[in-house]
Amino acid sequence: MFFLVRWLSRRSLRFLHILGAFLGWLAYWFSPTYRRRLDANAALAGLTAAERREAVADAGRLVMEVPRLWLRPRDEPIADPVRWEGAELMESLVGRGKGLVLLTPHMGSFEIAAQAYAERFGARQPITVLYRPARKQLLRELEETARARPSLATAPATLAGVRQMLRALKKGETVGLLPDQVPPEGQGVWAPFFGKPAYTMTLAARLVQQTGAAIAIVWAERLPQGAGYVVRVMPLPEPLPEGGGDEAAACAVNRSMEAVIRLKPTQYLWGYHRYKAPRSAASS
């Protein structure tokens, strides 16, 4: 299996995206549970049939580009073209010399978003990215070693990981997280997401409130024909409320994520189990 993954990591991005689109459709047709979830989630956001079909293919592209991103040598730059839109905003935020919270939805290539930031801005302001550790030990070890790169550290989605992120922000560094990831029980609140209650993390708002860090959105759009990526930086469409508690902040974050997702809905991971009940903290 590892030989196959290593072989895939050396293929062109165009090849991986063609193969990924095919495998995305295989997963869609051979997993009724996944198919029902993707269709239901996409319907909530009002996707057309054509947009839903493209989302099925793009989910497969996301999976197949991971070996190329994870297994390249640590000291080599990203092999595929990366263009920035909103780099001036990122420059100004990094130039503050204070903490920065970057939110990235399950959209486009979130692996590229973190790596591209580390390559361009990490020497001045390193980034620590929150991730959900895989349950299988072999995959968990691969995640930990492959994702950690120069100026890019990883923090597990545990209390220890939260403390790690707080320390990074207090040192004036950057942290990144997926705000639409379902947190463990007790670390979120129920808030509407495309009109349906979803258990939503409160961590992003709390990190900002406790450290005075700035906050912005960054996501990487996957270009057609394996042409690379566009990393897009933007302010939150809706600022976090001052006061109002966790629920008000979670609702604001979800509305901001909805606005960003609507910019390119075909690249959102609609098959993600966004509306599931949270796992207990002990099992996360």
Side-chain angles (χ1 to χ4, degrees), residues 46-70:
L47 266 69
T48 65
E51 288 174 330
R52 189 171 65 249
R53 288 193 296 271
E54 184 60 22
V56 169
D58 231 53
R61 295 184 185 110
L62 168 67
V63 173
M64 291 309 300
E65 69 192 6
V66 167
R68 186 173 173 86
L69 299 174
W70 279 12

Side-chain angles (χ1 to χ4, degrees), residues 112-176:
I112 274 285
Q115 292 189 17
Y117 171 92
E119 281 195 7
R120 182 160 181 171
F121 301 99
R124 285 180 284 163
Q125 191 161 310
I127 183 170
T128 300
V129 177
L130 189 74
Y131 76 101
R132 173 72 55 80
R135 295 187 180 185
K136 294 185 178 180
Q137 182 175 353
L138 183 61
L139 182 55
R140 185 165 61 247
E141 292 174 353
L142 177 61
E143 279 182 326
E144 293 169 354
T145 56
R147 281 178 163 156
R149 294 187 171 273
S151 303
L152 196 167
T154 57
T158 62
L159 290 178
V162 172
R163 288 193 290 268
Q164 181 182 343
M165 299 184 86
L166 277 170
R167 289 194 298 269
L169 288 174
K170 290 176 180 178
K171 289 191 295 184
E173 297 180 355
T174 298
V175 301

